[in-house]
Amino acid sequence: GRDDRPVARLVFFDSRMDQVHTMINDAQLDWFSNLTQSLPPVPALAFYHIPLQEYQDAIDARKPISGGIHERICVDGPNPRIFPVLQSGRVVAGFCGHDHTNDFCVEWKGVQLCYEGSPGFGGYGNRDLPYMRRARITELQLNEDGTALAQVRSWKRVDAGGSVAGQAVDEEVLWSSAGRLAHAARQAVADEVCQVLKASTPKYNSMLQSSEITI
């Protein structure tokens, strides 16, 4: 912001930093807690590779989503501290990858939980499937005098073939300083879709092509 005052914070976690910890571990959470307590309080965005358990919790609770869920959510290892620490650190949105053909956002207990999409062509999921390669863009907008964060906007840009950027989809405001958002365009995932996905083998193990399953 103006006058070098912070208006937002981006924090990046290593989902699986070694062979012992299969989740964001306590040392990382302690670091984040100490950091946020020592710095001015501002909204934060968190980034991590593997989705948190709360992504699945939100889908199980049939919370409405934007975007699509095309494969089973392969959640990170259990650590009950993760989500409360993110909340206490003023995280307003979290972003993950890992499941290449999921690209949804869902709100859980005041935090927007989003997938980034899968823009690369080296992994599973490709442009010949109904799910086209895509990448999420997230924009931080300041207020008129540039002293505070006003909005966090997000959308996905779809591949148009030959690494050419195509249309923008699912544009929405994830967070606003004006207050809670309705997100009226979001839809809950159907029960039968949830049952099929939860019963399936994770795609990164089986290469299961279930990309036709969406809301």
Side-chain angles (χ1 to χ4, degrees):
R2 294 183 180 176
D3 303 324
D4 293 327
R5 286 182 290 180
V7 295
R9 186 166 295 122
L10 309 184
V11 57
F12 300 84
F13 293 99
D14 193 336
S15 292
R16 296 184 179 177
M17 61 187 303
D18 53 45
Q19 298 300 313
V20 177
H21 303 97
T22 59
M23 75 293 288
I24 298 172
N25 64 30
D26 287 333
Q28 296 180 80
L29 296 174
D30 290 342
W31 165 81
F32 179 60
S33 293
N34 292 334
L35 178 74
T36 54
Q37 291 172 14
S38 64
L39 295 174
V42 293
L45 307 182
F47 299 84
Y48 36 83
H49 179 68
I50 301 176
L52 309 178
Q53 174 61 46
E54 284 73 17
Y55 284 68
Q56 185 65 62
D57 293 343
I59 295 299
D60 289 345
R62 302 300 187 264
K63 297 294 184 180
I65 70 172
S66 59
I69 177 169
H70 303 280
E71 62 179 295
R72 177 179 171 180
I73 300 172
C74 299
V75 300
D76 208 356
N79 186 342
R81 287 189 62 204
I82 296 174
F83 196 73
V85 167
L86 296 184
Q87 288 178 303
S88 64
R90 297 176 60 88
V91 169
V92 299
F95 302 87
C96 75
H98 197 59
D99 303 327
H100 293 194
T101 60
N102 288 341
D103 68 351
F104 66 83
C105 281
V106 64
E107 182 179 347
W108 184 248
K109 298 183 178 179
V111 180
Q112 298 292 335
L113 300 175
C114 299
Y115 278 91
E116 290 280 31
S118 182
F121 290 88
Y124 70 82
N126 58 65
R127 63 181 300 271
D128 296 323
L129 299 173
Y131 179 85
M132 304 292 284
R133 287 299 191 193
R134 63 199 60 204
R136 180 177 296 279
I137 297 94
T138 300
E139 179 182 78
L140 279 63
Q141 298 183 343
L142 303 184
N143 61 6
E144 290 185 2
D145 63 9
T147 59
L149 185 64
Q151 288 186 341
V152 177
R153 300 186 64 85
S154 190
W155 63 92
K156 283 143 333 196
R157 182 70 69 175
V158 179
D159 170 50
S163 300
V164 176
Q167 65 176 324
V169 298
D170 300 324
E171 183 172 358
E172 61 182 345
V173 177
L174 296 180
W175 176 87
S176 171
S177 61
R180 191 178 181 88
L181 300 166
H183 291 122
R186 292 185 176 184
Q187 301 178 54
V189 182
D191 290 347
E192 58 270 24
V193 172
C194 292
Q195 291 169 5
V196 169
L197 293 176
K198 290 191 74 173
S200 67
T201 302
K203 189 180 287 188
Y204 70 88
N205 285 335
S206 70
M207 305 299 286
L208 174 67
Q209 299 298 345
S210 60
S211 60
E212 74 281 1
I213 301 175
T214 186
I215 61 171

